[in-house]
Amino acid sequence: MAKVKEIYNAHLVKIDELSSTVRNFHFEFPEKPRFDYRAGQFVMVEVPKEGKTARKPYSIASPPHWPNKIELCIKKVEGGYVSSYFFTLKKGYVMPMEGPLGVFKLKEPLPPHLLFVATGTGVAPLRAMIHTLLKDGHPGKMTLILGVRYENEVLFDEEFKSLAAQHPHFEYIPTVSRPQTWQGETGYVQDVLLRHYPSPEGRQIYACGLVPMINSLLETLGKNGYPREAIHFEKWT
């Protein structure tokens, strides 16, 4: 028997502007006692389009222990109908969502060192995972490598800096591929990863980003000894 779709009305309660093209949308579910999901999963949103419905998946950017709410970190894509629609929304808007969906989740047993790798809004599901692990008291080392093109595009920068300051076993490495005045790491995420951690021993990778980035990551790490089974990923189109 096919599983019945679970669609809920999500109420938009807050919008954070993270950059000129990225906003973080906070939704609550007042009609549902609890919205249960696993860090890394996504929802399928529904928006009206010419008398019909346009649907698009977005990863949940917040951890499950933040009660009965989710955050969606969305970049406005040129020519993208759904992302452009999001940028017209105001507080109070009610959006139908199906979910939770997806199998991009942390897999037990966890290794001594978890490497989280993302570009742009691909950091969304990894942010949920990191907050979950820190809340659960995970003792192992965690590293987030977050890549963007320009320094004004680094997402949740102050938040990740604060987490790294509070938790010595969490390391945060932002990197910029087209630096102007940036003083930190530069280059693509896969190259930064190998500069810091050339050996795959005791490590697993959770990565999220656009298809070209994930393909390049898999190819580069594979050539440098990282086994395919140690790399878990979500590709975005």
Side-chain angles (χ1 to χ4, degrees):
M1 182 181 295
K3 184 179 178 181
V4 177
K5 288 183 180 179
E6 293 188 90
I7 298 178
Y8 307 104
N9 288 324
H11 294 238
L12 180 59
V13 296
K14 184 182 178 185
I15 304 171
D16 301 322
E17 188 162 321
L18 303 185
S19 75
S20 60
T21 59
V22 178
R23 293 178 184 172
N24 197 44
F25 296 83
H26 300 240
F27 288 93
E28 292 182 352
F29 298 89
E31 300 157 19
K32 182 174 173 57
R34 184 175 175 85
F35 185 77
D36 290 313
Y37 62 96
R38 295 271 302 278
Q41 290 191 291
F42 66 90
V43 291
M44 186 73 70
V45 305
E46 298 184 354
V47 301
K49 182 181 182 182
E50 299 172 353
K52 298 181 180 180
T53 299
R55 306 175 84 236
K56 186 173 177 61
Y58 284 108
S59 292
I60 301 171
S62 49
H65 62 274
W66 293 358
N68 210 37
K69 62 170 283 187
I70 64 170
E71 297 176 16
L72 302 180
C73 182
I74 296 175
K75 179 175 182 176
K76 186 177 183 180
V77 178
E78 187 174 350
Y81 179 82
V82 177
S83 67
S84 297
Y85 187 88
F86 262 90
F87 274 60
T88 69
L89 299 183
K90 307 294 183 186
K91 284 172 56 176
Y93 185 86
V94 179
M95 178 176 289
M97 293 184 185
E98 179 189 356
L101 303 166
V103 296
F104 184 55
K105 296 175 281 192
L106 292 165
K107 296 174 175 60
E108 300 284 351
L110 297 175
H113 187 186
L114 283 164
L115 285 160
F116 297 99
V117 183
T119 49
T121 54
V123 75
L126 307 184
R127 177 180 182 242
M129 291 179 178
I130 290 165
H131 274 284
T132 297
L133 289 166
L134 292 175
K135 180 257 183 185
D136 291 344
H138 175 64
K141 182 174 175 62
M142 294 178 278
T143 299
L144 170 63
I145 300 174
L146 173 56
V148 295
R149 288 181 299 175
Y150 303 106
E151 47 257 55
N152 62 354
E153 296 176 335
V154 181
L155 305 177
F156 304 109
D157 188 49
E158 292 303 318
E159 176 182 309
F160 289 130
K161 286 178 180 176
S162 177
L163 289 177
Q166 295 172 51
H167 304 277
H169 61 301
F170 172 63
E171 178 185 29
Y172 169 50
I173 307 175
T175 179
V176 175
S177 61
R178 300 179 187 177
Q180 295 173 328
T181 60
W182 179 254
Q183 298 298 310
E185 288 277 354
T186 59
Y188 295 119
V189 288
Q190 60 269 26
D191 299 324
V192 173
L193 187 156
L194 288 173
R195 281 204 296 269
H196 285 262
Y197 301 107
S199 170
E201 187 174 351
R203 299 188 171 100
Q204 287 188 19
I205 296 166
Y206 285 80
C208 185
L210 295 174
V211 170
M213 173 279 218
I214 295 294
N215 289 345
S216 180
L217 180 78
L218 292 172
E219 180 181 1
T220 301
L221 296 184
K223 289 179 179 177
N224 285 273
Y226 274 82
R228 174 61 189 79
E229 60 270 20
I231 307 172
H232 314 280
F233 60 87
E234 184 104 300
K235 286 183 180 181
W236 287 359
T237 56

